[in-house]
Amino acid sequence: MPADPSYGSAGETPARSAESHQRSAAAHPARASATSAVEVRRSTRRRKSVSAYREGDRTIVLIPARMSKAEERRWVGVMLDKLAAQESKRHLGDTELAERAARLSAQYFDGRARPASVRWVTNQNTRWGSCTPAEGSIRLSHRLQGMPEYVVDYVLLHELAHLLVPGHGPGFWRLLEAYPRTERARGFLEGVVAAERLPADDEWSGVIRVRRFCTGCVPAWSDVVVCG
C-alpha cells in the first residue's frame, strides 16, 4: 500500500453499499473541530482512497482495511483538518469576526483585551495579522479564510495579546500558553509558508526553529505591531 493514499472529498457522504466495514471508535480531541467523536471504518474494498464526513455528533473516517495503525492516526488527522478547512470556508464577516475575538478574549484573557475593531483586509499577503494597540484595531489577512478554525483563533489571540503586551517577550508568549493549540496552529502556518515559498520571517519562522521572532515586526516602541 502506498504511504500516501489519495483521499476523497471530506464532507462527502458515501452511498450505503455491501462493503464490509471494520469499525472502531476513537476520540481525537486535539484534531476534531466541530466534534471530538471519531469513528474509523475500515473497508476491504477500499484500496487507496480515504474519505470523511460528519454524521450527527460524530466524524466518520473511511480507510482501507490494510492501513496500519500509524497510517490510520495520520490520515484521521489529515481528514479532520480537511473537514475543518472546508467548514471554515463559510467564513465570518467582520461583525462575526469581532464577536469571535470578544469570546476568545473572555475565554483566555479574562476579557482584558478589548479591540475597538476587528476586520479582514486584502493587503496583507505575506502577513497573517496586524494590530495597532494605540487604536485598538486588529486586521487579519483574507488568506486565513478557509483555514481551520483553530488557526484563525490562534491568529486572533496573537493579535489580542498585542493589545496587552506590545512586543514578543516572555510575557507575550506566556499569554498564548493559555490557548492549547498554539503550537499546532504555528506549525500549520509554518507549513503554509514553506509550501508557498513565502518569506518565513517574524515570530512565525519556526521552519528554521530559531527564536528569531521579531525580525520582520515593527519594533516594540512603535504604536503598531505587525505579525507575519
Side-chain angles (χ1 to χ4, degrees), residues 5-216:
S6 60
Y7 52 86
S9 298
E12 176 183 338
T13 304
R16 297 296 180 184
S17 69
E19 289 186 353
S20 61
H21 290 292
Q22 299 174 0
R23 303 186 181 189
S24 62
H28 296 262
R31 306 302 298 255
S33 57
T35 178
S36 61
V38 178
E39 180 180 318
V40 177
R41 298 179 182 175
R42 292 173 173 264
S43 170
T44 56
R45 298 183 61 181
R46 187 175 288 266
R47 299 298 181 182
K48 296 181 179 180
S49 64
V50 177
S51 61
Y53 60 94
R54 305 292 190 198
E55 187 177 87
D57 61 351
R58 296 177 301 165
T59 301
I60 309 300
V61 181
L62 307 175
I63 64 174
R66 295 186 297 170
M67 185 174 284
S68 70
K69 284 293 184 182
E71 289 174 321
E72 174 186 322
R73 287 191 297 271
R74 174 171 174 260
W75 280 100
V76 165
V78 167
M79 299 311 292
L80 288 174
D81 276 349
K82 187 175 176 67
L83 276 173
Q86 287 184 352
E87 291 165 352
S88 68
K89 285 180 180 178
R90 300 184 290 273
H91 56 264
L92 306 173
D94 288 349
T95 300
E96 292 83 5
L97 193 66
E99 292 172 351
R100 188 180 194 134
R103 289 195 298 270
L104 289 168
S105 176
Q107 182 175 358
Y108 295 104
F109 299 152
D110 297 323
R112 291 181 293 130
R114 300 178 181 178
S117 67
V118 183
R119 61 190 176 92
W120 297 105
V121 294
T122 58
N123 61 350
Q124 292 184 168
N125 292 322
T126 60
R127 300 184 185 278
W128 301 119
S130 63
C131 77
T132 306
E135 299 175 359
S137 61
I138 290 175
R139 298 163 295 279
L140 263 59
S141 171
H142 72 287
R143 295 175 63 240
L144 289 164
Q145 294 173 347
M147 292 189 186
E149 290 182 358
Y150 73 90
V151 176
V152 178
D153 285 352
Y154 166 67
V155 178
L156 274 173
L157 282 166
H158 187 109
E159 303 308 333
L160 286 168
H162 277 310
L163 298 180
L164 304 175
V165 180
H168 295 100
F172 174 84
W173 294 106
R174 276 196 297 272
L175 282 175
L176 288 180
E177 287 176 357
Y179 184 56
R181 296 188 176 184
T182 288
E183 289 304 315
R184 183 174 168 225
R186 283 168 58 85
F188 184 99
L189 293 171
E190 289 161 4
V192 172
V193 170
E196 297 184 358
R197 302 291 194 272
L198 293 174
D201 58 4
D202 310 333
E203 71 274 21
W204 310 97
S205 63
V207 174
I208 306 179
R209 290 299 176 193
V210 293
R211 296 191 66 81
R212 185 172 55 83
F213 295 125
C214 302
T215 57

